[in-house]
Amino acid sequence: MTSHTRVRTRGSSQAGRAVALVADVLAFVIVLWILLWFLDANQGNELVNFIHDTASWLAGWSYDLFTFSREWVQVVIGYGLAAVVYVLVGHAVAGWLYRR
C-alpha cells in the first residue's frame, strides 16, 4: 500500500500569505474609513481624504447595493459588506494556495 503525501511548495505558501495580506489590508482601509466617519474626521485633511477615496473605490460595488434611511447604517453596511467579502474571498484563495 503506497502512501501519497502532498508536499507544500514554498511558492504556494508565500503566494497564499501574500493574498491573505492584501485582502487584510484592503479590509483594513475600509474599516478605517468607517471608523473615521464615525469619529467625524476632518475630510479636508489629505490623509482622511485619501482613505475615503480609496475605501469608496474599493466598496464602489457594494455601497449602494442596499439602501437604508439612516446614514450610519448605510455607511456600516455599504462599506462593511465589501470588507467582509474581501477578507472571506482573500482568505479562501489563500487557503486554496496553501493546499496546492
Side-chain angles (χ1 to χ4, degrees):
M1 180 172 219
T2 61
S3 173
H4 295 278
T5 59
R6 195 171 250 215
V7 177
R8 188 180 337 171
T9 63
R10 184 178 178 132
S12 65
S13 178
Q14 288 177 341
R17 276 193 227 113
V19 168
L21 179 65
V22 168
D24 291 343
V25 168
L26 296 179
F28 174 76
V29 169
I30 294 169
V31 171
L32 182 59
W33 167 245
I34 294 170
L35 179 64
L36 289 172
W37 185 87
F38 270 109
L39 295 173
D40 199 24
N42 177 12
Q43 294 199 19
N45 180 287
E46 288 295 320
L47 178 61
V48 174
N49 191 32
F50 173 76
I51 292 169
H52 178 237
D53 290 345
T54 305
S56 293
W57 184 79
L58 290 170
W61 61 271
S62 69
Y63 186 72
D64 287 330
L65 193 59
F66 304 103
T67 54
F68 300 95
S69 60
R70 299 204 181 244
E71 187 178 9
W72 72 269
V73 176
Q74 183 70 34
V75 168
V76 170
I77 299 298
Y79 287 100
L81 177 62
V84 169
V85 168
Y86 285 126
V87 168
L88 291 177
V89 170
H91 283 262
V93 170
W96 178 77
L97 288 171
Y98 286 138
R99 290 187 298 274
R100 274 186 86 209

